[in-house]
């Protein structure tokens, strides 16, 4: 069955991959954008304009698009720094509330929203399911804000009165446009030998190619399953393994090692946490419920791709 699909965040890293896949499946795709010029070059069936933080504008835009399904891929993450956390948290709380209210007013049936697989607390593991608690008590204020915003987004999506909802908890994104691309902030630092490896580096990362994130969103649009699903590759991996291999693939020297106690000062809280303590995400539930599987089943083949 084809549907009228409204994509909020169509001009983002995932959105740009998602729009052509949806249209190739025969869906009618409208982009909700805050700046129309950002949609230039995207093949779309329609464009509506609103800032996601402005309730009335969102309502008018969504009503005019008349969607069956609304896909929420809004973030304001621009780098490995904390500066995107606060605006992204607002998009996940206020922005989500505006989209749900507008989607319900427009008579939409479903919402699909982006969340994070690595927002779970680093307890148990090493690879956690969707049942693991989120890290709302993270010691870093930015990450605590992020996980609380994720929790609110998920509660709102699953609790919407007149919509069914699917939450996609994406793993660590890599591929064109992401931080891990060699031109991205993280990839560039590793390529220049500027990212040290804490010792021990026992943090687990579950990676996800951006094309697989987009494919999972198509599956979620077409599925009739509600719930929260991890969307990550099949190969969760310790930093002690992936960071040296990533450096090798980028043609960089092996990362120098530093004692784990120095990692936070040298790398910042989040990267230090990722490399030393983060847990991986099991993808079994999403694979089954969404009828999705990663085309890139392991980061090992494509992490340094252009
Ligand atoms: N999950 C992770 O692994 C993770 C963690 C940290 C960082 N990142 C990085 O974050 C990016 C994730 O890709 P993404 O597609 O989720 O995000 P993205 O590329 O930042 O795209 C976000 C989308 O939201 C839109 N948007 C932002 N604020 C808006 C507002 N107020 N009103 C309307 N639209 C608004 C943007 O529109 P505009 O085009 O107008 O900006 C854009 O279309 C990657 O670069 C990734 O490396 C990912």
């Amino acid at each position: 069955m084809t549907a009228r699909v409204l994509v909020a965040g169509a001009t983002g890293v995932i959105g740009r991959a998602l729009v052509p896949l949806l249209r190739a499946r025969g869906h009618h795709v409208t982009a909700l954008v805050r700046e129309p010029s950002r949609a230039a070059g995207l093949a779309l069936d329609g464009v509506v304009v609103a800032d996601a933080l402005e309730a009335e504008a969102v309502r008018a835009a969504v009503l005019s698009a008349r969607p069956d399904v609304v896909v929420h891929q809004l973030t304001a993450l621009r780098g490995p720094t904390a500066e995107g956390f606060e605006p992204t948290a607002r998009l996940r709380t206020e922005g989500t509330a505006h989209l749900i209210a507008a989607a319900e007013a427009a008579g939409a049936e479903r919402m699909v929203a982006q969340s994070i697989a690595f927002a779970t607390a680093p307890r148990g593991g090493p690879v956690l399911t969707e049942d693991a608690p989120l890290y709302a008590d993270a010691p870093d204020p930015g990450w605590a804000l992020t996980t609380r915003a994720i929790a609110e987004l998920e509660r709102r999506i699953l609790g919407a009165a007149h919509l069914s909802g699917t939450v996609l908890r994406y793993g660590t994104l890599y591929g064109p446009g992401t931080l891990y691309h060699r031109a991205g902030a993280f990839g560039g630092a590793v390529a220049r030998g500027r990212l040290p490896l804490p010792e021990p580096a026992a943090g687990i990362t579950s990676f996800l190619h951006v094309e697989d994130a987009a494919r999972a969103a198509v599956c979620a649009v077409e599925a009739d399953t509600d719930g929260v699903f991890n969307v990550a590759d099949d190969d969760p991996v310790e930093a002690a393994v992936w960071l040296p291999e990533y450096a090798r693939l980028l043609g960089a020297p092996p990362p120098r090692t530093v004692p784990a106690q120095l990692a936070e000062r040298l790398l910042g809280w989040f990267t230090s946490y990722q490399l030393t303590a983060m847990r991986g995400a099991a993808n079994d539930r999403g694979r089954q419920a969404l009828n999705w599987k990663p085309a890139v089943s392991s980061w090992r083949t494509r992490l340094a791709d252009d």
Side-chain angles (χ1 to χ4, degrees):
M1 269 276 276
T2 58
R4 294 178 66 86
V5 183
L6 177 67
V7 181
T11 58
V13 173
I14 297 166
R16 285 182 187 278
L18 172 61
V19 166
L21 295 182
L22 285 169
R23 294 190 81 235
R25 297 278 299 167
H27 299 297
H28 178 283
V29 181
T30 302
L32 182 147
V33 299
R34 54 183 167 171
E35 168 51 55
S37 67
R38 292 272 299 146
L42 266 182
L44 289 157
D45 299 296
V47 175
V48 293
V49 180
D51 186 310
L53 296 176
E54 291 173 14
E56 274 313 308
V58 171
R59 182 183 165 88
V62 177
L63 282 171
S64 75
R66 295 185 292 110
D68 304 307
V69 184
V70 174
V71 181
H72 174 354
Q73 300 281 3
L74 299 168
T75 79
L77 297 167
R78 281 286 174 264
T81 60
E83 70 199 14
F85 285 170
E86 197 274 333
T88 300
R90 284 191 69 200
L91 288 168
R92 287 174 174 148
T93 53
E94 294 167 51
T96 301
H98 299 335
L99 278 178
I100 290 172
E104 292 191 325
E109 289 159 19
R110 282 180 66 62
M111 270 195 71
V112 174
Q114 167 184 161
S115 180
I116 305 176
F118 46 88
T120 44
R123 296 189 266 272
V127 176
L128 302 174
T129 72
E130 294 84 346
D131 296 332
L134 297 179
Y135 202 8
D137 58 347
D140 178 71
W143 198 241
L145 177 73
T146 297
T147 53
R148 286 198 299 268
I150 284 295
E152 182 172 332
L153 174 146
E154 295 187 351
R155 263 197 314 275
R156 285 185 184 276
I157 295 291
L158 298 182
H162 304 294
L163 292 168
S164 66
T166 302
V167 172
L168 302 177
R169 287 187 177 172
Y170 292 137
T172 296
L173 290 167
Y174 69 95
T178 68
L179 302 176
Y180 285 78
H181 187 264
R182 70 177 67 231
F186 203 91
V190 175
R192 291 192 300 277
R194 297 255 173 84
L195 203 102
L197 182 68
E199 219 168 37
I204 311 281
T205 296
S206 282
F207 285 104
L208 178 67
H209 194 284
V210 73
E211 289 285 345
D212 275 327
R215 286 191 202 100
V218 174
C219 291
V221 163
E222 295 176 354
D224 56 5
T225 313
D226 294 359
V228 175
F229 303 106
N230 288 336
V231 175
D233 79 7
D234 298 326
D235 193 10
V237 59
E238 276 192 20
V241 174
W242 72 259
L243 188 54
E245 176 62 5
Y246 182 39
R248 193 186 69 77
L249 292 169
L250 287 168
R256 72 190 164 92
T257 54
V258 294
Q261 307 88 280
L262 294 183
E264 186 172 336
R265 188 152 58 79
L266 295 172
L267 298 164
W269 185 84
F270 182 80
T271 302
S272 166
Y273 168 66
Q274 178 184 1
L275 300 181
T276 61
M278 205 163 83
R279 301 300 201 260
N283 67 7
D284 312 70
R285 217 174 275 181
R287 284 178 71 113
Q288 178 150 17
L290 301 171
N291 194 24
W292 168 86
K293 66 177 184 194
V296 190
S297 68
S298 171
W299 59 274
R300 289 171 200 266
T301 52
R302 305 276 300 272
L303 190 56
D305 268 12
D306 282 329

